[in-house]
Amino acid sequence: DKARDPDMHQTAKGKQWYFGMKAHMGIDSKSKLIHSATATAAPVADSTVLPRLLHGRETRVWGDRAYQGQTAVIRAVAPQAQDFTNRRVRRQGIVDVVEWAKNRTKSRVRAKVEHVIGVIKCIFGFTKVRYRGLTKNTHRLLVTCALANLYVVRRLQPTGG
């Protein structure tokens, strides 16, 4: 019937509008393995799905500014975890240089997990939704995350001979 998918919604990022869904993933920064994943409609805030991304045994939680101010949620789900999410650096037009430097250091750790997202997008082609409905696309996301884990692990395993 050529109608839009009722499960998907639109949202703006800057001046660009997007229609679809968001994939949220919890990734271990040392092993680069995905331990949790979920999908939501596009306008759902990242901070609302944070409890579903934590498994409870984390020691540090790295995140972008979307997860800022979620220290209480992190403590509730993972009591031993320290909050290493990026903070706002500009207040009333003035840039806090110390906070900017801290965010830069945090972003270097966060950049490690972006490799896994690149595997999902470039190697397995998960850039657009293929099915109608959030449930089917969530299942596709979970299978793609499992495949990405296998792909990353194969590169970590020493080759015997």
Side-chain angles (χ1 to χ4, degrees):
D1 59 354
K2 303 276 184 177
R4 281 191 162 184
D5 191 344
D7 290 344
M8 308 290 173
H9 299 286
Q10 63 185 14
T11 187
K13 186 175 181 180
K15 293 183 179 181
Q16 180 70 38
W17 282 88
Y18 295 95
F19 181 81
M21 65 176 241
K22 278 187 193 175
H24 307 272
M25 291 175 268
I27 303 172
D28 183 60
S29 63
K30 289 185 181 173
S31 66
K32 294 185 183 179
L33 294 178
I34 302 169
H35 56 76
S36 56
T38 186
T40 61
V44 175
D46 293 344
S47 60
T48 59
V49 297
L50 181 60
R52 289 189 265 169
L53 300 179
L54 301 174
H55 54 66
R57 296 183 309 273
E58 290 90 0
T59 56
R60 295 180 178 187
V61 176
W62 308 88
D64 59 7
R65 280 187 31 206
Y67 299 102
Q68 165 179 299
Q70 298 296 313
T71 306
V73 174
I74 293 170
R75 293 259 183 238
V77 178
Q80 289 83 22
Q82 294 178 336
D83 185 8
F84 283 96
T85 55
N86 283 5
R87 303 288 183 234
R88 183 180 303 133
V89 295
R90 186 183 308 270
R91 287 189 179 84
Q92 299 174 350
I94 300 170
V95 175
D96 184 1
V97 178
V98 174
E99 200 64 47
W100 179 83
K102 287 180 184 178
N103 282 352
R104 187 165 168 85
T105 304
K106 293 173 188 176
S107 294
R108 287 181 180 156
V109 174
R110 283 185 28 245
K112 292 178 186 178
V113 302
E114 294 294 330
H115 174 256
V116 181
I117 296 168
V119 168
I120 289 173
K121 286 183 170 185
C122 297
I123 294 177
F124 295 110
F126 199 96
T127 55
K128 293 185 178 182
V129 294
R130 299 282 184 228
Y131 304 109
R132 188 170 171 84
L134 195 57
T135 306
K136 288 181 182 179
N137 285 304
T138 301
H139 289 290
R140 180 173 172 247
L141 172 68
L142 296 176
V143 169
T144 307
C145 288
L147 288 171
N149 279 347
L150 291 173
Y151 183 83
V152 170
V153 165
R154 110 182 137 72
R155 304 197 99 196
L156 296 176
Q157 296 295 329
T159 57

